[in-house]
Each structure stands twice: as structure tokens, then as C-alpha cells.
Amino acid sequence: MSEYAAGTGPDQSPALRAAKTSLRDQLLAARRQLPLSAVATGARATAELLLAAPEVRRAATVAAYVSLGSEPGTAVLLDALRASGKRVILPVLLADNDLDWAAYDGELGPAPRGLLEPTGERLGVDAIATADVVLVPGLAVGADGIRMGRGGGSYDRALGRVPVGTFMCVLLHDGELLASVPSEPHDRPVTAAVTPSALTRF
């Protein structure tokens, strides 16, 4: 599931907003150039790295998402997590851009904005706090763990409910782990980022 509608926070300065917009445009343009075969190959490699990570191997519940388009693919990963006996919860976009959650049972249904979402019982916005591992979409991550999303704010709100110490990992393509990304004081760093080449912990 992608980062949803683009937007800007009410406290962003014009310079920060321009920097974020420029970087997002560059990253999205690069993703559009990726062949589907490369996205599929990368998805398999990323899944292997995550499934081998001690944090994921120990987890009972994993919060993840359904990828779309040129995002790093999650379909292989989601099914592998379920096959390994883990409870997987996926986001359901609410009208106010917040995220509800539901367990993934292997079935997905259509949702607004071209998204796909789990069809099971809604668990509430605080369900993400029950996850041992949180896998997050993003466009890039800086070396300090600060994540850049699409600007909708859905995950900024959701990650605020995740207990400190939880393994939070952003899925990226190679080349999207950057020296830095524009950030604000309230931005919460993630603990790791995974690309097809490596799992990097911050």
C-alpha cells in the first residue's frame, strides 16, 4: 500500500516544502523508469533479506503493506510471512488519511484510490502497536534513519503509535538510501532500511 495522497504539513516552511517536493519528484521519476522485471527481482531479494533477519524470524505479528506499481514489491514477502506462521496485519486507509488495520488471510479487495486492502475485520488504528515488526513504505531514507514518504502523512501518524524499540524497516530500491533527506523535528526515525542488496540498521 502506497503512502497515499500527497500533502504538506501545516508547519512546513516554503523552503522545506520545496526541498521535499523536489526530492520526491526525482525519486518518483527514477521509480517510473524501473523495468517491471527489476521490481520483481528486487522484491524476491528483499523478501529473502527480511525473512532472514533475526527481528523478523522472532516476530509473532508483522505489520506490513500492499505495494503498488513501481514500489518495492511486497506480494512475495506477505505470503512468505504467512507461510512461516506469522500474523500479518495490513493497513486500511480511512477517510481522514489515518490507517486502520486488518489481518491478512491471503485475500485482498479493491479500495479507494486504486489501493488494495485486506478484507477481514477491522482492528482499529492502535493495532499497529501490537506488531513486533513494522514494515513501512517510503521513497528514501537518510543515514540517520529519517524516512521520506509521499507526503500524505498516513504513516507519520501510524508510526507515532509504535512502541519505542520496535523494529521499523522501510522497503526501498537500490539507490534510495541517501546521505540525508529533508526533515522536521517531529519526524521519527526508523530502525532499518532494506534494499535488494542489503539490510541496513541505523
Side-chain angles (χ1 to χ4, degrees):
M1 175 171 287
S2 60
E3 189 72 13
Y4 312 119
T8 56
D11 300 324
Q12 287 183 10
S13 70
L16 178 60
R17 188 178 306 125
K20 286 188 171 184
T21 298
S22 176
L23 181 55
R24 281 192 187 103
D25 288 347
Q26 293 174 40
L27 293 163
L28 288 168
R31 284 190 173 185
R32 285 193 291 269
Q33 300 301 313
L34 289 172
L36 288 178
S37 59
V39 175
T41 301
R44 290 190 293 272
T46 296
E48 289 177 5
L49 286 168
L50 283 171
L51 293 167
E55 297 90 344
V56 176
R57 290 170 62 186
R58 290 193 301 263
T61 297
V62 177
Y65 66 97
V66 181
S67 60
L68 292 175
S70 60
E71 288 184 322
T74 61
V76 171
L77 176 63
L78 295 178
D79 289 335
L81 288 168
R82 285 189 69 241
S84 66
K86 302 189 186 303
R87 175 177 178 256
V88 178
I89 61 173
L90 299 176
V92 176
L93 184 63
L94 299 174
D96 63 356
N97 269 4
D98 206 345
L99 298 179
D100 200 339
W101 298 85
Y104 175 54
D105 62 3
E107 299 293 329
L108 296 170
R113 305 186 194 177
L115 302 173
L116 294 172
E117 63 185 27
T119 57
E121 177 186 356
R122 303 301 185 248
L123 303 173
V125 297
D126 291 324
I128 190 173
T130 69
D132 305 297
V133 165
V134 179
L135 304 178
V136 189
L139 294 176
V141 175
D144 55 0
I146 296 297
R147 163 189 161 273
M148 167 163 278
R150 288 179 180 261
S154 299
Y155 268 91
D156 290 330
R157 294 163 74 178
L159 294 182
R161 303 180 180 110
V162 177
V164 173
T166 302
F167 183 71
M168 297 191 298
C169 183
V170 179
L171 279 64
L172 300 172
H173 295 296
D174 286 323
E176 295 177 342
L177 187 56
L178 308 179
S180 65
V181 300
S183 64
E184 297 175 84
H186 68 261
D187 286 333
R188 181 174 177 183
V190 295
T191 55
V194 65
T195 69
S197 299
L199 174 62
T200 301
R201 292 175 175 82
F202 302 113

